[in-house]
């Protein structure tokens, strides 16, 4: 590739670099600001002068989170939910992907089932029929309503079977010659090769499950079953933004304002995502470009 | 008989599909019968199927309700705003990233701009509620730089929709560049070299080589994005709005949630959801057919 080194071309490069730096700053600012507020002195935080560096460094907000029992109950619910969704969801997805990775001549019902799953799952009757259904199934205020509906995920099944279909066809022929049936192929031939795609869907599942908050708003009443994001939603969002300054209500509030305490809880809830983000980045590009234009 | 069945692969394939179909039937098929609520007078003691029929009564009530038209207008304005911003800006961003020759800088910008995509609207609403509040950083900066008096951004019918569209852009802009970047890297370098020899400058190369090279992908994504036109983004709006801005912020899904579920007007809520879902399904069918015909797009 030839690169021109004229003045105009260099100026063009610098314009782009400056714009992209600005975009990056604007992207990071709200996130860093919140972290900075969480570490700041509540009295200063209320004045709105904090940018991305804490003012009057204080860990009080975090020590108050430690006293918040519900925060840890909810954290545990979230972790339990992720663990179970990951374990059961992967098994369900992996098993379902195998028949769908076959050619239509090998598995005659393939296309009929795929269209059925796709069309019916894209039509949802809205939240009310879903609510009635969960009540009928006895899943209202039940931990399993947070897990079971998420075990079927069309996108994940699609990702796994498309991954298999891109493997060399000879692999299957070899397995056939050696006399392997479907179960042997599933466990001995495809499994060792599927680790990248399983890692991808696992990461998707972890992020989506961690971020999901609405199911518990509709179906859960018992505070012992509230996932962390739902708990966060209730404390951060249901507070009326029109209410005047929270500082100065006296007692504990003046020491740790809702603002810094909320910022601390938000920062802690972001932490796991930031932690697995480097791994995510490696896999999601692969995931998003699958299931697009095929030759 | 049984051994014969076991030798048939078709049998084993069906066994493998049992778990997924159990979940599918319980949580995707069963709720469908609930849509008859839209045509019933719901009596809790009689259940959904036992309740008396209401015919189209709920729909007559709905079309006469001015709130419905307000909600529909808000939904369309917000979703079209999101659709346009998320079509144009990621293309520009991708073209700029594609011009970069310093690999580490490109990777850094990508890493930073993809990040908000993975944060939930609950977290981001918490963040935005703080920075847009009357004592927040935005108002502080506006006041100290431009001497503008504090504005209640999230409590203002003028500001609410722009903030929804812009914050959505902020969250998804970087992530939406992925597909365009993949398409841009697959453009043959020989095209750029030929343009260079013909005396094309940087901007001319973008205009005559890069953009035509991703035109098909742009058209494809524009078509597919029409699917979402009736969904303005429940999670975002639900976590950012409040009663003061219902006039400009209330969309179909938030209206259904508030009136249908929280307000226990189950029949009305279902009636709205049903129309919404059916229109959504028609849009999906239409856009995928177009994408399949003209861009050879296939889901599986």
């Amino acid at each position: 590739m030839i690169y021109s080194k004229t003045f105009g071309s260099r100026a063009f490069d610098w314009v782009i670099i400056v714009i992209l730096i600005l975009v990056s700053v604007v992207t990071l600012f709200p996130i860093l600001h919140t972290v900075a507020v969480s570490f700041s002195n509540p009295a200063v935080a209320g004045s709105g002068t904090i940018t991305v560096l804490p003012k009057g460094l204080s860990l009080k907000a975090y020590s108050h989170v430690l006293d918040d029992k519900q925060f840890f109950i909810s954290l545990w619910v979230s972790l339990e939910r992720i663990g179970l969704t990951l374990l059961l969801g992967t098994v369900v997805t992996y098993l379902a992907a195998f028949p769908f990775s076959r050619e239509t001549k090998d598995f005659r019902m393939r296309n009929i089932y795929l269209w059925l799953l796709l069309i019916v799952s894209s039509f949802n009757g809205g939240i009310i029929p879903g609510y009635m259904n969960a009540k009928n199934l006895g899943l209202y205020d039940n931990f399993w309503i947070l897990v079971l509906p998420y075990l079927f995920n069309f996108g994940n099944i699609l990702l796994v079977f498309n991954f298999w279909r891109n493997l060399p066809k000879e692999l299957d022929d070899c397995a056939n010659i050696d006399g392997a049936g479907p179960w042997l192929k599933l466990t001995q031939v495809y499994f060792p090769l599927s680790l990248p795609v399983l890692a991808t869907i696992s990461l998707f599942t972890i992020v989506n499950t961690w971020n999901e908050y609405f199911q518990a708003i509709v179906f859960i009443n018992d505070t012992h079953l509230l996932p962390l994001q739902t708990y966060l939603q209730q404390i951060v969002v249901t507070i009326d933004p029109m209410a005047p300054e929270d500082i100065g209500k006296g007692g504990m509030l003046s020491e740790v304002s809702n603002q810094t305490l909320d910022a601390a809880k938000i920062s802690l809830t972001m932490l796991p995502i930031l932690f697995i983000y480097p791994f995510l980045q490696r896999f999601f590009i692969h995931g998003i470009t699958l299931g697009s234009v095929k030759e | 008989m049984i051994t014969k069945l076991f030798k048939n692969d078709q049998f084993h394939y069906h066994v493998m599909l049992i778990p997924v179909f159990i979940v599918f039937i319980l949580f995707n098929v069963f709720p469908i019968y609930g849509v008859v609520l839209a045509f019933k007078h719901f009596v809790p003691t009689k259940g959904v199927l036992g309740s008396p029929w209401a015919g189209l009564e709920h729909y007559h009530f709905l079309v006469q309700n001015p709130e419905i038209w307000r909600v529909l207008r808000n939904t369309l304005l917000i979703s079209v705003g999101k659709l346009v911003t998320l079509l144009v800006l990621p293309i520009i961003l991708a073209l700029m990233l594609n011009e970069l020759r310093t690999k580490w800088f490109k990777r850094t910008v990508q890493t930073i701009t993809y990040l908000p995509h993975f944060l939930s609207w609950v977290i981001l609403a918490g963040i935005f509620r703080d920075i847009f509040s009357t004592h927040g950083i935005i108002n502080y900066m506006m006041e100290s730089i431009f001497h503008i008096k504090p504005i209640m951004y999230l409590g203002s019918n003028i500001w609410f929709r722009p903030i929804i569209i812009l914050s959505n852009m902020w969250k998804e802009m970087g992530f939406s560049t992925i597909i365009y970047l993949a398409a841009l890297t697959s453009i043959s370098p020989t095209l750029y070299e030929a343009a260079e020899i013909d005396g094309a400058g940087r901007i001319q190369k973008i205009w005559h080589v890069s953009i035509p090279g991703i035109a098909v992908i742009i058209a494809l994504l524009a078509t597919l994005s029409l699917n979402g036109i009736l969904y303005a983004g429940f999670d975002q709006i639900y976590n950012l709005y409040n009663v003061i801005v219902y006039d400009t912020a209330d969309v179909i899904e938030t209206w259904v949630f508030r009136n249908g579920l929280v307000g226990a007007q189950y029949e009305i809520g279902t009636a709205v959801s049903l129309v919404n879902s059916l229109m959504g399904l028609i849009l999906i069918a239409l856009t995928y057919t177009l994408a399949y015909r003209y861009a050879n797009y296939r889901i599986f």
Side-chain angles (χ1 to χ4, degrees):
Chain A
M1 191 105 184
I2 332 160
Y3 289 128
S4 56
K5 293 205 172 69
T6 60
F7 173 75
S9 172
R10 278 173 183 238
F12 187 69
D13 276 335
W14 280 110
V15 170
I16 287 175
I17 287 170
V18 170
I19 294 174
L20 289 177
I21 289 174
L22 279 176
V23 169
S24 307
V25 169
V26 170
T27 306
L28 280 183
F29 181 83
I31 296 166
L32 294 178
H33 171 74
T34 304
V35 176
V37 168
S38 75
F39 282 108
S40 292
N41 185 332
V44 189
S47 64
T49 54
I50 294 166
T51 51
V52 293
L53 288 173
K55 280 188 180 168
L57 194 68
S58 154
L59 290 172
K60 280 226 176 74
Y62 286 94
S63 70
H64 272 80
V65 175
L66 288 178
D67 295 337
D68 184 350
K69 258 202 193 119
Q70 184 62 42
F71 187 85
F72 291 96
I73 293 172
S74 292
L75 177 65
W76 178 244
V77 172
S78 278
L79 293 177
E80 231 177 339
R81 185 187 188 189
I82 289 178
L84 283 164
T85 313
L86 201 58
L87 189 77
L88 300 173
T90 310
V91 173
V92 171
T93 304
Y94 190 80
L95 282 176
F98 186 77
F100 291 140
S101 71
R102 308 290 91 189
E103 296 296 327
T104 316
K105 66 175 166 46
D106 290 333
F107 181 41
R108 290 187 297 272
M109 298 297 279
R110 175 180 186 266
N111 288 355
I112 296 167
Y113 286 157
L114 274 177
W115 280 113
L116 183 75
L117 290 175
L118 179 67
I119 292 171
V120 175
S121 62
S122 0
F123 174 88
N124 61 26
I127 48 179
I128 291 157
Y131 172 78
M132 300 273 172
N133 180 52
K135 278 206 151 172
N136 286 342
L137 295 174
L139 288 173
Y140 185 79
D141 229 359
N142 184 325
F143 173 75
W144 288 98
I145 195 68
L146 301 176
V147 175
L148 292 176
Y150 299 93
L151 300 184
F152 161 52
N153 183 319
F154 193 83
N156 285 349
I157 296 176
L158 189 76
L159 219 57
V160 178
F161 80 69
N162 268 334
F163 178 83
W164 286 341
R165 282 165 85 87
N166 287 332
L167 293 174
K169 295 267 176 292
E170 288 75 15
L171 198 70
D172 210 61
D173 297 338
C174 286
N176 282 334
I177 291 166
D178 288 343
W183 293 97
L184 264 179
K185 281 188 203 167
L186 188 77
T187 51
Q188 308 284 311
V189 182
Y190 284 104
F191 185 70
L193 294 166
S194 313
L195 294 179
V197 76
L198 291 181
T200 309
I201 62 165
S202 301
L203 284 170
F204 284 165
T205 307
I206 292 172
V207 173
N208 290 339
T209 313
W210 180 257
N211 281 343
E212 208 287 323
Y213 72 99
F214 191 63
Q215 192 79 354
I217 290 185
V218 178
F219 297 106
I220 302 287
N221 238 335
D222 185 353
T223 50
H224 288 89
L225 297 175
L226 283 187
L228 191 57
Q229 296 266 349
T230 315
Y231 171 60
L232 192 71
Q233 203 271 344
Q234 299 199 341
I235 55 168
V236 175
V237 170
T238 43
I239 291 169
D240 193 347
M242 301 316 130
E245 190 54 58
D246 288 313
I247 290 179
K249 276 185 187 167
M252 199 188 81
L253 280 180
S254 59
E255 207 179 315
V256 182
S257 71
N258 274 350
Q259 198 190 3
T260 50
L261 191 58
D262 287 355
K265 286 174 184 166
I266 289 171
S267 304
L268 287 171
T269 312
M270 271 194 295
L271 204 61
I273 299 284
L274 299 181
F275 189 70
I276 63 164
Y277 185 56
F279 304 98
L280 269 173
Q281 232 197 339
R282 244 174 69 202
F283 290 106
F284 61 66
I285 298 182
H286 182 69
I288 202 170
T289 43
L290 265 173
S292 56
V293 181
K294 299 185 184 69
E295 78 279 7
Chain B
M1 175 64 195
I2 289 168
T3 44
K4 205 178 163 194
L5 200 62
F6 268 80
K7 274 185 186 147
N8 188 346
D9 280 356
Q10 305 285 320
F11 168 75
H12 293 287
Y13 294 154
H14 280 88
V15 172
M16 290 173 181
L17 288 174
I18 288 173
V20 82
F21 268 98
I22 290 176
V23 179
F24 173 71
I25 289 168
L26 282 180
F27 297 101
N28 293 90
V29 177
F30 275 9
I32 289 178
Y33 87 91
V35 302
V36 299
L37 262 179
F39 309 101
K40 294 254 185 175
H41 285 297
F42 184 56
V43 183
T45 48
K46 288 183 180 169
V48 173
L49 295 176
S51 297
W53 290 96
L56 289 174
E57 201 180 295
H58 301 308
Y59 286 98
H60 282 300
F61 170 76
L62 276 171
V63 289
Q64 282 158 8
N65 187 344
E67 262 185 43
I68 276 298
W69 303 110
R70 185 186 81 183
V71 158
L72 194 63
R73 190 195 62 205
N74 288 339
T75 306
L76 289 176
L77 282 173
I78 291 172
S79 68
V80 170
K82 285 183 172 181
L83 205 142
V84 172
T85 47
L86 276 190
L87 190 66
V88 177
L89 281 148
I91 296 172
I92 298 173
L93 192 58
L95 287 171
M96 287 199 287
L97 283 167
N98 193 48
E99 290 296 310
L100 291 178
R101 293 159 199 175
T102 331
K103 282 275 172 293
W104 67 264
F105 182 68
K106 181 179 173 181
R107 261 207 312 275
T108 311
V109 174
Q110 282 176 295
T111 305
I112 292 171
T113 54
Y114 294 176
L115 178 64
H117 171 80
F118 296 99
L119 300 174
S120 72
W121 271 118
V122 171
I123 288 176
L124 296 178
I127 293 177
F128 284 127
R129 275 172 175 252
D130 178 41
I131 64 173
F132 282 115
S133 73
T134 40
H135 52 87
I137 181 79
I138 301 270
N139 268 315
Y140 174 76
M141 288 202 288
M142 285 297 179
E143 202 175 3
S144 52
I145 302 169
F146 303 110
H147 303 290
I148 299 172
K149 280 200 173 142
I151 300 167
M152 232 189 251
Y153 287 102
L154 292 173
S156 146
N157 278 312
I158 302 166
W159 286 101
F160 193 84
R161 280 197 296 242
I163 285 176
I164 287 291
I165 292 166
L166 289 175
S167 59
N168 181 65
M169 186 184 97
W170 173 87
K171 183 179 194 277
E172 301 294 341
M173 186 171 68
F175 196 75
S176 311
T177 61
I178 293 179
I179 292 179
Y180 298 117
L181 280 173
L184 281 168
T185 45
S186 65
I187 295 174
S188 162
T190 53
L191 288 174
Y192 289 104
E193 282 160 23
E196 177 88 33
I197 290 163
D198 288 346
R202 297 282 293 275
I203 292 173
Q204 280 169 311
K205 275 193 272 184
I206 292 174
W207 189 249
H208 293 288
V209 182
S210 301
I211 291 179
I214 57 170
V216 175
I217 298 284
I218 296 174
L220 179 70
L221 292 183
T223 313
L224 293 179
S225 68
L226 288 174
N227 278 335
I229 204 135
L230 288 172
Y231 299 92
F234 176 84
D235 293 340
Q236 181 190 14
I237 296 167
Y238 176 63
N239 288 316
L240 284 171
Y241 81 162
N242 53 72
V243 67
I244 302 174
V245 288
Y246 280 173
D247 259 351
T248 52
D250 204 12
V251 294
I252 298 173
E253 289 167 287
T254 51
W255 191 88
V256 169
F257 176 73
R258 264 198 345 270
N259 294 286
L261 198 66
V262 180
Q265 290 178 289
Y266 298 129
E267 306 95 321
I268 302 282
T270 311
V272 177
S273 290
L274 178 61
V275 175
N276 205 15
S277 291
L278 283 176
M279 304 256 274
L281 205 59
I282 292 169
L283 277 172
I284 291 179
L286 202 72
T287 52
Y288 278 95
T289 315
L290 282 173
Y292 176 73
R293 281 265 172 81
Y294 297 106
N296 201 22
Y297 179 88
R298 265 173 288 161
I299 316 164
F300 41 79

